[in-house]
């Protein structure tokens, strides 16, 4: 016990901060009021400083994309106005690999016409995505700081038409090599070969097809706020069954740096073209939908322009210390001013003191 007490005394002797005993301190109304005001100001400034730290500006930079081993995730959900038995979806990249080995797409028979809830949902997605594409440059900072990562899924059909299926919903996620590729939907199912594939119906079936399509989702990489996917909410009616609809996509890798993590995703721009197939006039090809994408050599880096945590903590400490010092300085001035009033005008001070005593007596009587 003695050794422990000696150790405690040694630690106490190392205390370099002045300690004032409570019996030597004097509490005043001025000091108490300034303490409340100073603490209120401190809490308010800390709250504003935290908001400023979190609500920082965004910095967009370009850099060479050196992540050659990263895979390209493709998210697809679209509806074609032709039954699933008569069309087939396929994808190939520039390495001539059948990338369905990295995933598969589901084909689901459905109806082209939407019911009430589905139509309302799709119109909302269409108008919102159209507005975001037009006003993206003025809304980019707001979108990247929002929590909205993607549109809600298409609601389930409540009313089923009393007629055969006339459309096919193709949806799923594929993970491919990060190289250029071609996703397409044409007539007939495909048979794969080492260096390519062939769609059977394109040779043996001349039945006209309706390649009108509605895009619910078409994106690359994980869904992140701030990224607008131009094809989502797009609907195109194709009257001619011999039309080839082409979409040329430029996919740009995008690294989004948040406060504690880095998310690698992709955004893209799109150009579209459609032309009728007429072999007699030299317009060759196979009618269908073609999404040809190419990966850019540069990537976009999105960073938050904020101070590092050490600077943030130092700034908080300086705010607290500054308010405490200033409040102490003001307290000394007011105390000296009050002492001066008592010395120069003792009657005023005495009347104020008597008023305080009278109020205290009234409180006791109550």
């Amino acid at each position: 016990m003695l050794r422990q007490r000696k150790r405690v005394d040694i630690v106490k002797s190392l205390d370099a901060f002045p300690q004032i005993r409570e019996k030597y301190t004097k509490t005043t109304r001025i000091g108490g009021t300034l303490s409340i005001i100073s603490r209120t100001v401190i809490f308010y400034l800390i709250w504003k400083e935290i908001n400023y730290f979190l609500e920082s500006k965004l910095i967009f930079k370009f850099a060479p994309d050196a992540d050659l081993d990263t895979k390209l995730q493709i998210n697809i959900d679209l509806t074609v106005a032709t039954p699933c038995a008569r069309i087939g979806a396929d994808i190939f990249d520039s390495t001539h690999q059948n990338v369905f080995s990295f995933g598969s797409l589901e084909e689901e028979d459905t109806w082209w016409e939407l019911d009430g809830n589905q139509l309302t949902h799709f119109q909302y997605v269409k108008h919102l995505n159209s507005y975001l594409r037009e006003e993206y440059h003025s809304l980019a900072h707001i979108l990247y700081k929002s929590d909205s990562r993607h549109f809600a899924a298409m609601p389930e059909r409540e009313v089923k038409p009393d007629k055969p299926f006339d459309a096919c919903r193709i949806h799923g996620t594929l993970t491919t090599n990060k190289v250029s590729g071609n996703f397409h939907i044409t007539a007939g199912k495909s048979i794969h070969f080492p260096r390519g594939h062939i769609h059977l119906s394109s040779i043996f079936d001349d039945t006209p097809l309706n390649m009108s399509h509605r895009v619910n989702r078409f994106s690359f990489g994980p869904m992140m706020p701030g990224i607008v996917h131009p094809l989502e909410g797009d609907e195109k009616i194709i009257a001619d069954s011999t039309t080839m609809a082409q979409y040329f996509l430029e996919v740009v890798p995008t690294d989004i740096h948040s406060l504690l993590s880095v998310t690698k995703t992709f955004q893209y721009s799109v150009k579209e073209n459609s032309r009728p197939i007429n072999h007699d006039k030299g317009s060759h090809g196979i009618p269908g939908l073609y999404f040809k994408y190419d990966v850019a050599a540069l990537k976009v880096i999105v960073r938050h322009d904020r101070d590092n945590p050490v600077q943030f903590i130092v700034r908080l400490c300086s705010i607290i210390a500054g308010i405490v010092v200033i409040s102490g300085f003001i307290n000394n001035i007011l105390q000296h001013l009050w002492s001066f009033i008592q010395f120069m005008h003792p009657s005023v001070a005495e009347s104020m003191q008597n008023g305080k005593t009278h109020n205290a007596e009234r409180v006791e009587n109550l």
Side-chain angles (χ1 to χ4, degrees):
M1 293 294 294
L2 293 176
R3 291 182 179 178
Q4 189 173 6
R5 289 181 180 177
K6 289 182 179 180
R7 291 174 183 173
V8 173
D9 293 337
I10 293 174
V11 173
K12 288 183 178 180
S13 64
L14 297 176
D15 189 0
F17 298 97
Q19 305 293 328
I20 301 177
R21 295 184 180 181
E22 187 175 353
K23 64 180 182 179
Y24 296 134
T25 61
K26 180 181 179 181
T27 59
T28 62
R29 183 172 298 181
I30 295 175
T33 303
L34 285 176
S35 296
I36 295 175
I37 295 174
S38 62
R39 281 161 176 75
T40 303
V41 173
I42 287 173
F43 287 131
Y44 174 75
L45 291 179
I46 289 176
W47 176 69
K48 296 294 289 184
E49 193 67 27
I50 292 175
N51 286 339
Y52 176 77
F53 179 74
L54 296 177
E55 295 293 331
S56 55
K57 294 182 180 180
L58 295 175
I59 297 177
F60 299 88
K61 297 195 307 182
F62 287 95
D65 183 22
D67 300 329
L68 302 179
D69 297 331
T70 304
K71 296 296 183 179
L72 182 64
Q73 175 183 317
I74 308 177
N75 310 300
I76 300 170
D77 186 357
L78 53 87
T79 303
V80 182
T82 298
C84 295
R86 300 179 57 192
I87 58 175
D90 210 342
I91 184 170
F92 268 81
D93 62 14
S94 59
T95 61
H96 301 288
Q97 297 181 23
N98 177 13
V99 295
F100 275 121
S101 60
F102 301 104
S104 61
L105 296 177
E106 297 183 15
E107 297 181 357
E108 177 183 338
D109 283 309
T110 184
W111 295 273
W112 173 254
E113 184 179 358
L114 300 174
D115 66 3
N117 290 335
Q118 290 180 327
L119 182 60
T120 301
H121 169 81
F122 186 78
Q123 291 294 335
Y124 168 77
V125 173
K126 180 179 180 180
H127 291 301
L128 179 59
N129 209 25
S130 176
Y131 175 77
L132 292 178
R133 290 197 300 264
E134 294 176 359
E135 304 294 336
Y136 180 77
H137 293 289
S138 60
L139 297 174
H141 288 76
I142 299 176
L143 293 175
Y144 271 103
K145 296 177 183 179
S146 67
D147 295 329
S148 176
R149 293 179 180 267
H150 56 83
F151 299 116
M154 176 74 75
E156 295 292 334
R157 182 183 295 272
E158 296 182 354
V159 179
K160 296 183 178 180
D162 188 14
K163 63 179 181 179
F165 297 117
D166 60 357
C168 181
R169 179 192 174 202
I170 301 173
H171 60 96
T173 299
L174 301 174
T175 304
T176 72
N177 301 309
K178 199 172 69 172
V179 294
S180 59
N182 182 358
F183 169 72
H184 52 271
I185 302 173
T186 59
K189 305 302 178 181
S190 61
I191 296 179
H192 297 278
F193 298 99
R195 300 292 294 179
H197 69 287
I198 186 173
H199 289 262
L200 293 179
S201 293
S202 64
I203 299 177
F204 302 106
D205 190 2
D206 293 331
T207 304
L209 300 176
N210 187 353
M211 298 307 293
S212 299
H213 54 280
R214 181 187 300 121
V215 181
N216 246 0
R217 185 182 181 190
F218 201 100
S219 62
F220 297 87
M223 305 296 291
M224 291 296 296
I227 295 181
V228 177
H229 308 290
L231 284 176
E232 294 184 355
D234 189 21
E235 181 181 71
K236 180 169 290 187
I237 305 300
I238 301 178
D240 188 357
S241 61
T242 62
T243 299
M244 172 188 287
Q246 296 175 306
Y247 295 94
F248 301 93
L249 286 68
E250 182 74 15
V251 182
V252 181
T254 305
D255 295 350
I256 302 176
H257 294 252
S258 61
L259 184 60
L260 300 175
S261 62
V262 178
T263 302
K264 295 182 179 294
T265 186
F266 302 87
Q267 53 186 321
Y268 65 92
S269 61
V270 60
K271 297 179 181 179
E272 57 182 275
N273 178 49
S274 60
R275 60 182 177 88
I277 302 301
N278 191 330
H279 298 288
D280 296 335
K281 296 182 178 180
S283 179
H284 303 293
I286 300 175
L289 307 179
Y290 295 85
F291 299 84
K292 300 180 179 181
Y293 60 88
D294 193 11
V295 182
L298 296 177
K299 66 179 178 180
V300 176
I301 300 176
V302 183
R303 294 182 181 272
H304 290 266
D305 184 18
R306 59 164 59 97
D307 297 333
N308 61 57
V310 175
Q311 292 177 329
F312 172 67
I313 294 174
V314 170
R315 193 160 54 247
L316 289 181
C317 293
S318 63
I319 289 174
I320 296 173
I323 297 298
V324 171
V325 171
I326 292 174
S327 62
F329 180 71
I330 295 175
N331 179 61
N332 291 333
I333 293 176
L334 294 179
Q335 292 293 346
H336 284 86
L337 182 61
W338 175 244
S339 299
F340 178 76
I341 292 174
Q342 287 180 323
F343 177 77
M344 297 298 296
H345 303 283
S347 59
V348 176
E350 185 177 355
S351 63
M352 294 179 64
Q353 187 65 31
N354 291 334
K356 296 177 184 178
T357 306
H358 180 66
N359 291 335
E361 291 176 355
R362 290 184 60 186
V363 171
E364 291 179 358
N365 291 332
L366 292 175

